[in-house]
Amino acid sequence: MTRGGSTYEGVIAPDTVESRPMPSRKVSILIGEKNGAASNTAVHELLECPVCMNIMYPPIHQCPNGHTLCSKCKSKVRSCPICRQELGNIRCLALERVAESLEVPCRYQIFGCQDIFPYQSRLRHEQSCGFRPYNCPYAGAECHVSGSIPSLIQHLKNHHQVDMHDGSTFNHRYVKTDPQDFENATWMLTLFNCFGYQFCLHFEAFNLGRAPVYMAFIRFMGEEHDARKFSYSLEVGANGRKLTWQGVPRSIRDSHKTVRDSMDGLIIHKNMALFFSGGNSRELKLKVAGRIWKVQS
């Protein structure tokens, strides 16, 4: 299988969460001496940046006519996107105080998080929220889909035609008719379902500096603290020789490139791979055997 395929973009929301009603909340905001009740929608409209459409966090800037925008967008434009007045360095302190007094739900509420946070604390929570969606682990195309683990499994099957196997042991066969072709990095992805979790076996060819190599490694479809509950081994060999690797699967929170560049897996130099293939430089035939097991706590 070679790199390619379509580009997919979006977020897949889990059906199980969509069918569960979320609590409706209103936010009370103190302005001067009066208590005013405003819905989340109305307040969020006030805090929505007209350039990037994201919620603004202090510092919030404004033009001489009072139109606001976030600090990130202010650094990119010179004039107000609404009235075209030249931007100075004016802070909208009143709106900043409103923002600081606001309690808002986590942005990953649709994925199941029902916590409410002070406005400023929400950003810190969202960086490590256990309900934030995962990026698609498929490395063979520029796929930008994200979602829950069950939705990504279906996405991998339906859109990337990835095979899924049950069991904690496997024999992965890789055949390449032209082992000299390293210009187009070749790869394969296989899913394994065991111990109530899913694992991704990556196998690919690329140039490590000037040396062409093959690499195999396993990623865990879940959080890092759960990934550390498992270990795995990979083995490749022939003619009375073999290479083995034992490691801990990396969470798919770590990108495919991060894991590959860290060399955290079984690395087979091309000459050794050809030797394991019977010394025939015309065709590469490798069998990667592996096992996944739970670590005793």
Side-chain angles (χ1 to χ4, degrees):
M1 189 180 298
T2 59
R3 284 186 181 272
S6 303
T7 298
Y8 302 96
E9 186 169 2
V11 176
I12 308 173
D15 295 335
T16 55
V17 175
E18 288 181 342
S19 63
R20 183 170 62 246
M22 294 297 177
S24 176
R25 294 180 174 87
K26 290 191 176 182
V27 181
S28 292
I29 303 172
L30 185 63
I31 304 178
E33 299 295 327
K34 297 181 180 180
N35 283 322
S39 68
N40 276 335
T41 300
V43 176
H44 285 180
E45 287 177 356
L46 289 174
L47 294 171
E48 188 177 86
C49 176
V51 178
C52 65
M53 309 305 289
N54 292 323
I55 298 296
M56 295 183 290
Y57 293 88
I60 298 174
H61 299 272
Q62 68 177 34
C63 77
N65 289 328
H67 302 122
T68 57
L69 74 165
C70 72
S71 58
K72 184 177 180 180
C73 290
K74 180 186 180 291
S75 65
K76 299 178 180 178
V77 298
R78 293 185 177 181
S79 61
C80 174
I82 305 299
C83 65
R84 302 303 176 186
Q85 281 280 340
E86 184 177 351
L87 290 172
N89 193 27
I90 309 171
R91 294 271 294 275
C92 186
L93 299 179
L95 193 56
E96 287 184 7
R97 287 195 293 269
V98 170
E100 290 170 352
S101 66
L102 181 65
E103 288 191 339
V104 291
C106 173
R107 68 182 295 184
Y108 304 122
Q109 186 182 64
I110 190 174
F111 291 98
C113 184
Q114 299 188 36
D115 292 332
I116 302 294
F117 299 91
Y119 193 75
Q120 287 282 36
S121 301
R122 191 184 79 159
L123 278 180
R124 292 192 297 270
H125 160 77
E126 289 174 351
Q127 291 173 356
S128 59
C129 176
F131 290 94
R132 70 192 190 281
Y134 299 87
N135 293 327
C136 175
Y138 189 86
E142 294 298 322
C143 182
H144 301 289
V145 163
S146 61
S148 65
I149 296 300
S151 62
L152 284 182
I153 291 171
Q154 290 302 315
H155 167 74
L156 289 168
K157 290 179 179 178
N158 297 336
H159 295 288
H160 298 302
Q161 288 75 52
V162 174
D163 293 330
M164 178 172 235
H165 304 278
D166 292 326
S168 59
T169 60
F170 52 87
N171 284 287
H172 175 82
R173 294 186 178 275
Y174 180 78
V175 178
K176 184 172 173 56
T177 56
D178 184 7
Q180 307 303 324
D181 179 19
F182 270 74
E183 293 300 320
N184 297 314
T186 57
W187 62 273
M188 293 187 74
L189 174 64
T190 307
L191 291 179
F192 294 95
N193 179 44
C194 55
F195 305 107
Y197 293 95
Q198 290 74 40
F199 300 80
C200 301
L201 171 63
H202 295 267
F203 185 83
E204 62 185 271
F206 61 97
N207 285 310
L208 182 58
R210 295 184 177 180
V213 299
Y214 292 90
M215 183 176 180
F217 58 90
I218 286 181
R219 295 163 76 198
F220 176 78
M221 295 191 71
E223 296 296 323
E224 182 182 352
H225 61 84
D226 286 325
R228 289 196 295 265
K229 299 175 183 177
F230 298 92
S231 288
Y232 74 94
S233 64
L234 297 173
E235 178 181 300
V236 60
N239 301 320
R241 283 88 168 176
K242 67 180 178 181
L243 289 176
T244 60
W245 166 266
Q246 181 173 321
V248 177
R250 298 279 286 271
S251 166
I252 60 171
R253 294 289 187 200
D254 293 333
S255 70
H256 163 269
K257 184 178 185 300
T258 296
V259 180
R260 193 191 78 176
D261 291 351
S262 67
M263 302 289 106
D264 193 2
L266 176 65
I267 299 174
I268 315 160
H269 288 268
K270 187 184 76 169
N271 289 340
M272 182 63 72
L274 291 174
F275 178 77
F276 287 152
S277 300
N280 182 0
S281 60
R282 299 176 183 175
E283 188 175 45
L284 186 81
K285 294 181 179 180
L286 285 177
K287 182 179 75 172
V288 179
R291 182 171 72 93
I292 304 168
W293 66 90
K294 292 191 76 171
V295 177
Q296 297 295 329
S297 56

